[in-house]
């Protein structure tokens, strides 16, 4: 049986997680890597037969049997590279954030819609087993009506010398970086976000972009979500998601996940927490199976676009200090991409 042939474009930190995931997926083959930094490519290629290129265009010209690419460059390149491959009929798994602004995101969505190839944004938490179990528990009604959800991604990372703190490259700071995961998690667990209010949580390194942010979000089911994001504050929380229902409480942790009903004294443990390699392997296999026509994508272009729209609204809220509506945008409903270049929805950063 022929393997699905992949290339990685951008051989940095996150490419290493994909390289580890490829080792868990014998039906996939990493055949090529493109990076402007050949040393980075060599590190990711070690132990594989992958050929190395300096540019993604050179890679495309030299690899006629390519099925799919993983775009893991800094975000300002996602639109150009994703659209290039989609227009050539090559499937694309693009790292988050989808793009640095809504206009670019709509361009990618439009290219994905027109292409015969498969497109997904790499939303790794969708492939976390505990998150899926939690969604089932919530969906079963065991916790009653869900009133509140909390998500926290708090760590201390020095972004001062990385592209992450360069607005032109990253599209913003911690809000677009980690918040992209957050809004997708809330959507996945509870449903569409309809309104957001974002507050700057202060500076810790005095970067040019926001470093610590709190976002309040209201969902279509009237659940209130609190999203707590920081690059500079170590809150050392054991759980990254907590769900509070009328009948019970549920926590998804880094090392353990559990829930408890109000009428009971006992916590029920339902998982071991977050396993990075499992999540990356899961998303890679699901994407490759979708490319091979064997299964549906667990997360599609509408999910990717929804994350951009919600983050875009959160940036507008930071600017205006007011609640901002989150438009429900479906890729198939986009008739004119140019509308988003001038719309109030395009980034104001
Ligand atoms: N899903 C996650 O949990 C997660 C975690 C970290 C990063 N990311 C995302 O992955 C992407 C990459 O992040 P990273 O931390 O690996 O960054 P990185 O800086 O470590 O790696 C980026 C790589 O892209 C290369 N590159 C730059 N311009 C290029 C070009 N024109 N063509 C080819 N290669 C080019 C760089 O040389 C570098 O090797 C970003 O979108 C980031 O947001 C996702």
């Amino acid at each position: 049986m022929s393997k699905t042939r992949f290339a990685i474009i951008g051989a940095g930190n996150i490419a290493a997680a994909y390289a580890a995931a490829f080792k868990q997926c014998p039906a996939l083959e990493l055949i090529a890597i493109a990076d402007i930094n050949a040393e980075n490519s060599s590190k990711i290629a070690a132990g594989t037969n992958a050929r190395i290129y300096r540019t993604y265009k050179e890679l495309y010209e030299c690899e006629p049997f390519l099925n799919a690419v993983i775009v893991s460059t800094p975000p300002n390149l996602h639109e150009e590279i994703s659209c290039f491959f989609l227009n050539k009929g090559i499937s694309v798994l693009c790292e988050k954030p989808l793009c640095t602004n809504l206009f670019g995101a709509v361009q990618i969505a439009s290219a994905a819609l027109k292409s015969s190839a498969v497109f997904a944004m790499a939303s790794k938490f969708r492939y976390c087993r505990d998150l899926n179990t939690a969604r089932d528990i919530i969906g079963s009604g065991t916790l009653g009506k869900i009133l509140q959800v909390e998500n926290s991604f708090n760590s201390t990372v020095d972004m001062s010398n990385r592209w992450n703190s360069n607005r032109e490259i990253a599209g913003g700071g911690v809000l677009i970086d980690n918040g992209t995961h957050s809004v997708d998690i809330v959507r996945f667990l509870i449903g569409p976000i309809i309104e957001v209010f974002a507050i700057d949580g202060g500076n810790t390194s005095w970067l040019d972009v926001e470093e610590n942010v709190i976002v309040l979000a209201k969902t279509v089911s009237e659940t209130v979500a609190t999203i707590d994001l920081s690059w500079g504050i170590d809150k050392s929380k054991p759980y990254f998601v907590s769900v509070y229902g009328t009948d019970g409480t549920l926590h998804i942790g880094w090392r353990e996940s559990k829930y408890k009903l109000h009428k009971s004294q006992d916590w029920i443990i339902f998982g071991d927490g977050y396993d990075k390699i499992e999540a990356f392997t899961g998303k890679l296999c699901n994407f490759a199976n979708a490319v091979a026509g064997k299964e549906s994508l667990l997360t599609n272009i509408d999910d990717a676009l929804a994350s951009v729209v919600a983050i875009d609204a959160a940036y507008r809220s930071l600017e205006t200090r007011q609640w901002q509506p989150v438009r429900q945008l479906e890729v198939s409903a986009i008739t004119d991409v140019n509308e988003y270049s001038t719309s109030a929805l395009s980034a104001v950063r």
Side-chain angles (χ1 to χ4, degrees):
M1 197 173 62
S2 70
K3 296 187 173 191
T4 307
R5 292 173 294 273
F6 274 83
I8 290 178
I9 317 295
N13 290 331
I14 211 65
Y18 283 105
F22 272 108
K23 292 189 180 132
Q24 311 290 321
C25 307
L28 317 185
E29 191 179 2
L30 178 61
I31 62 165
I33 298 169
D35 196 302
I36 49 171
N37 182 329
E39 206 180 311
N40 287 1
S41 294
S42 300
K43 283 186 200 154
I44 301 301
T48 75
N49 294 321
R51 292 168 287 278
I52 289 174
Y53 302 92
R54 289 271 181 177
T55 71
Y56 68 86
K57 288 185 180 168
E58 189 191 349
L59 181 149
Y60 171 75
E61 293 300 331
C62 298
E63 298 291 347
F65 302 112
L66 189 63
N67 300 123
V69 295
I70 295 168
V71 179
S72 48
T73 59
N76 63 326
L77 299 170
H78 290 182
E79 177 192 344
E80 174 191 321
I81 300 174
S82 295
C83 289
F84 175 86
F85 283 104
L86 285 169
N87 291 340
K88 304 284 186 195
I90 306 283
S91 295
V92 175
L93 177 61
C94 179
E95 258 305 332
K96 62 83 203 165
L98 180 60
C99 194
T100 54
N101 59 70
L102 184 61
F103 181 57
V106 171
Q107 298 279 6
I108 298 176
S110 174
L113 200 62
K114 287 184 200 136
S115 176
S116 56
V118 172
F119 179 87
M121 186 179 81
S123 304
K124 67 179 179 185
F125 287 101
R126 295 260 183 146
Y127 302 89
C128 168
R129 201 184 313 197
D130 290 7
L131 211 78
N132 281 278
T133 308
R135 189 177 192 239
D136 290 342
I137 294 168
I138 293 166
S140 72
T142 305
L143 304 176
K145 177 171 167 47
I146 304 304
L147 301 176
Q148 297 182 19
V149 175
E150 290 170 3
N151 161 244
S152 311
F153 289 129
N154 312 116
S155 54
T156 45
V157 280
D158 182 5
M159 294 299 196
S160 56
N161 293 315
R162 283 183 53 83
W163 57 259
N164 303 65
S165 57
N166 181 326
R167 194 178 299 276
E168 292 290 308
I169 298 176
V174 72
L175 177 54
I176 191 166
D177 187 30
N178 289 339
T180 296
H181 286 307
S182 304
V183 292
D184 189 61
I185 287 172
V186 171
R187 256 187 105 242
F188 181 58
L189 291 180
I190 309 295
I193 295 172
I194 56 169
E195 217 179 347
V196 290
F197 183 77
I199 312 157
D200 194 306
N203 293 317
T204 34
S205 301
W206 301 98
L207 304 175
D208 286 340
V209 292
E210 76 288 348
E211 302 162 45
N212 308 294
V213 171
I214 291 173
V215 180
L216 297 177
K218 285 188 209 156
T219 72
V220 74
S221 56
E222 297 181 340
T223 301
V224 176
T226 311
I227 296 169
D228 182 358
L229 305 166
S230 58
W231 280 341
I233 305 171
D234 183 2
K235 299 189 180 176
S236 294
K237 292 183 180 175
Y239 308 111
F240 59 94
V241 175
S242 295
V243 179
Y244 303 101
T246 49
D247 297 342
T249 293
L250 177 149
H251 298 300
I252 306 172
W254 298 109
R255 301 219 168 138
E256 178 190 81
S257 301
K258 61 186 185 180
Y259 74 94
K260 186 174 96 54
L261 300 182
H262 296 335
K263 63 183 182 201
S264 163
Q265 296 293 316
D266 302 321
W267 284 96
I268 297 166
I269 314 281
F270 65 86
D272 299 334
Y274 173 66
D275 180 334
K276 186 174 177 180
I277 297 301
E278 184 183 74
F280 272 76
T281 306
K283 77 176 164 182
L284 195 52
C285 289
N286 172 240
F287 178 74
N289 283 337
V291 172
K294 293 182 194 155
E295 65 183 53
S296 306
L297 284 172
L298 287 190
T299 162
N300 61 24
I301 184 67
D302 281 319
D303 298 316
L305 201 55
S307 71
V308 180
V309 175
I311 292 299
D312 189 62
Y315 274 109
R316 277 186 286 117
S317 175
L318 268 186
E319 290 271 321
T320 59
R321 299 175 181 232
Q322 286 177 353
W323 281 89
Q324 293 291 338
V326 177
R327 187 161 149 188
Q328 309 304 307
L329 201 58
E330 278 188 22
V331 175
S332 53
I334 295 170
T335 49
D336 178 10
V337 290
N338 290 320
E339 185 197 332
Y340 300 93
S341 62
T342 51
S343 142
L345 278 169
S346 58
V348 291
R349 284 154 272 157

